[in-house]
Amino acid sequence: ATAMALFLATRGRGVLARPVTTRFNSLCATFSRACASAAKSEETVVFHKAPGPGFENTFGRHSFAVVELGGKQYKMTKDDVHIVDRIPHAEVGTTMTLDKVLLVGTTEYTAIGRPMVVDAKVEVAVEQHTHDEKQVAFKMKRRKGYRRKKGYKRQLTILRVLGVEHEAPQVAE
């Protein structure tokens, strides 16, 4: 916890002006204990949050998931539109189920997968296949008559998130 707190406090630019708070230290310790208790197994680590004032049970509306897709991670919530690298097997107008869910969060808890959250998936609809703006790579050497201009357009897929589905974790008390 101390190394993680020091890394996050310095952020690679030198030490911050204010010291790291005790609340942050206790959060780091809690996270370390929870990860140690999982002991590198394939279970899900769950952190429960106490509901604040005016809390309503909005389980479905306020849940999000962090999904791995094409080697990148995307935070997805319902009705979001994401522009991702081309998915070759996806056809426009179809729905897909993404099951590489790394993290699920709601107003009640956060579930962190080791490496994936069990029984969690995200439903997305493929809306369009398109291209990005043209990226130009221009090389030249002055006074030598050497000029090379190459360009490419990145292929993209546009996805709309239909919903985040997961089972509520069972906690033994």
Side-chain angles (χ1 to χ4, degrees):
T2 313
M4 187 168 70
L6 181 62
F7 171 74
L8 291 175
T10 58
R11 296 209 199 283
R13 295 185 303 261
V15 179
L16 292 176
R18 64 179 190 272
V20 178
T21 62
T22 56
R23 182 175 179 210
F24 180 75
N25 286 336
S26 66
L27 178 64
C28 291
T30 304
F31 181 74
S32 297
R33 281 193 303 271
C35 290
S37 68
K40 295 186 179 179
S41 64
E42 292 193 14
E43 62 185 51
T44 302
V45 179
V46 179
F47 295 100
H48 281 272
K49 301 176 195 172
F55 174 78
E56 299 174 10
N57 188 3
T58 55
F59 177 72
R61 284 193 327 189
H62 297 292
S63 61
F64 71 92
V66 176
V67 177
E68 182 181 342
L69 183 62
K72 298 177 183 171
Q73 296 178 5
Y74 299 94
K75 179 183 175 186
M76 297 187 169
T77 58
K78 187 175 184 201
D79 296 327
D80 279 355
V81 175
H82 288 275
I83 300 172
V84 300
D85 290 333
R86 175 71 58 103
I87 303 172
H89 62 275
E91 295 181 17
V92 176
T94 61
T95 61
M96 296 174 47
T97 303
L98 307 176
D99 55 355
K100 287 189 175 182
V101 179
L102 304 173
L103 182 139
V104 173
T106 66
T107 54
E108 298 172 354
Y109 64 88
T110 301
I112 303 172
R114 294 180 56 101
M116 306 293 171
V117 178
V118 181
D119 296 331
K121 54 189 168 186
V122 177
E123 290 286 327
V124 295
V126 180
E127 290 198 343
Q128 183 180 2
H129 290 299
T130 185
H131 294 280
D132 201 1
E133 290 182 1
K134 188 170 188 174
Q135 302 291 320
V136 177
F138 181 73
K139 299 192 276 185
M140 75 171 278
K141 294 186 180 178
R142 61 182 186 168
R143 298 186 302 269
K144 303 298 180 190
Y146 175 81
R147 287 177 171 77
R148 301 291 182 266
K149 183 177 178 180
K150 290 184 179 179
Y152 71 97
K153 293 183 180 181
R154 193 171 61 137
Q155 296 183 347
L156 303 172
T157 299
I158 299 177
L159 302 174
R160 180 174 298 275
V161 181
L162 301 176
V164 177
E165 301 172 7
H166 60 284
E167 296 291 327
Q170 302 296 328
V171 176
E173 294 186 28

